Amino acid sequence: MKVLQLGKFYPIRGGVEKVMYDLMCGLSARGVQCDMLCAACEGESCDIKINDNAKLITTRTLTKAKATMISPAMIGKLRKICNEYDVIHVHHPDPMACLALFCSGYKGKVVLHWHSDILKQNVILKFYMPLQNWLLRRANVIVGTSPVYLNESPHLQDVQHKTVCLPIGIEPLPSVKEKAELLRAHYEGKRIVFSLGRLVGYKGYEYLVDAASYLTDDYVVLIGGGGPLRGKLQAKINNAGLSDRVKLLGFLPDEVLPQYFGACDLFCMSSIWKTEAFGIVQIEAMSCGKPVVATRIPESGVSWVNEDGVSGLNADPENGKSLAEAILKVTKNEETYNKFAKGAYDRYKSLFSYEQMIDNCMRIYSGLWKK
């Protein structure tokens, strides 16, 4: 079997392209010939050998428009190579990849990975809808990261008979006990609430700042990530007199993340829109045995990933007081905290490990010839 992961861009900057890359690496390690075709964020088209069973193929991008890399070279490249593959696994949303597949003339099996609906770009969606509907019809199987998103997306209601859930899986974050203890010592006597993500509207960080006002001085909220709302959030923190209780850490490189996950008492995801479809950072926290406080976003898989009462608690979106109450309940005593910590790690192991994701993907591919 020879598979092509199709869509998005390289280098990796977000969850969709990380899933693509991880699938390529995991499948190729199992002996499956698995390549990845995507737009180059910068530079010319090139092929990068990953291992004996995988190569990364990038095509030159002309420009970026509405979160989509415009790469006409992808169309020509896919037409040239598509018949080498038994399965093309296309990752949505990516209108460029969908257009390339439509123009390719490919006759083989298609797996459509539905990471998220298109939500903000309503004008683009209006013109893209006929092509999106073609892709939904063309796909042999439609994969979603959670049963909630598959069941509730308005675009998938007529294709429920060919949907299957493939939860995202990750390798556990490495333990860096000494560095984590040093970080904890910096906030001695504090319960550390950690959050991580781009400082953009749908992440709901303004409500996490509000939550801090309902916590005591025994808590400190650390928010990692950069983005356009940093100035606005810092002003909100300063105006509320919360500068000792909420810290904006800025961009955190991958190599320091394990010490923050290791040092924190719990992880908080304050997202408010279903643009947040899954929340990989939640399972990173769970892999470290950290309870999660997340939000009940309608039609999103976030609150499914964090099972309420098991791996943590889910709060009302756009509600700082509800977030604070959940944080206080998780940490109210050692027995309760340990229950959630164990539940978080057990849920990671049972649903969200990297090996399980690859196993499940292999089963989906194998099932294509049984339909």
Side-chain angles (χ1 to χ4, degrees), residues 153-322:
S153 168
H155 303 289
L156 302 181
Q157 295 309 300
D158 294 335
V159 290
Q160 289 291 306
H161 60 284
K162 56 180 179 179
T163 61
V164 62
C165 184
L166 175 62
I168 296 170
I170 61 164
E171 295 282 9
L173 295 188
S175 174
V176 287
K177 189 174 181 180
E178 290 184 3
K179 291 181 178 179
E181 286 177 352
L182 285 173
L183 184 57
R184 285 198 66 84
H186 185 71
Y187 299 101
E188 187 175 0
K190 303 280 189 180
R191 286 196 175 274
I192 299 173
V193 178
F194 181 48
S195 192
L196 179 68
R198 288 259 300 153
L199 305 184
V200 291
Y202 78 87
K203 294 290 187 180
Y205 285 123
E206 61 191 287
Y207 302 102
L208 183 52
V209 173
D210 288 341
S213 66
Y214 295 98
L215 301 175
T216 66
D217 287 334
D218 298 332
Y219 290 80
V220 62
V221 177
L222 305 181
I223 302 174
L229 295 184
R230 179 164 187 171
K232 184 178 179 180
L233 287 169
Q234 189 61 62
K236 182 179 177 71
I237 291 165
N238 295 342
N239 291 338
L242 295 171
S243 55
D244 289 336
R245 210 177 289 177
V246 184
K247 308 290 184 182
L248 300 183
L249 305 175
F251 173 76
L252 296 176
D254 288 348
E255 56 267 25
V256 306
L257 292 181
Q259 69 194 67
Y260 281 90
F261 279 107
C264 74
D265 291 284
L266 63 82
F267 184 85
C268 184
M269 172 171 275
S270 56
S271 299
I272 57 175
W273 304 335
K274 75 168 191 171
T275 306
E276 192 76 80
F278 184 91
I280 294 176
V281 284
Q282 295 188 100
I283 59 175
E284 289 177 331
M286 290 179 194
S287 79
C288 300
K290 303 296 177 170
V292 175
V293 168
T295 47
R296 293 182 288 267
I297 306 168
E299 299 180 17
S300 167
V302 165
S303 57
W304 173 80
V305 174
N306 180 41
E307 185 177 359
D308 192 75
V310 176
S311 51
L313 293 174
N314 293 315
D316 297 332
E318 301 184 69
N319 190 327
K321 186 177 181 181
S322 183

Side-chain angles (χ1 to χ4, degrees), residues 318-338:
E318 301 184 69
N319 190 327
K321 186 177 181 181
S322 183
L323 282 172
E325 288 172 349
I327 290 168
L328 291 169
K329 285 178 183 177
V330 170
T331 57
K332 68 178 180 180
N333 58 53
E334 187 175 359
E335 181 182 357
T336 301
Y337 178 83
N338 289 339

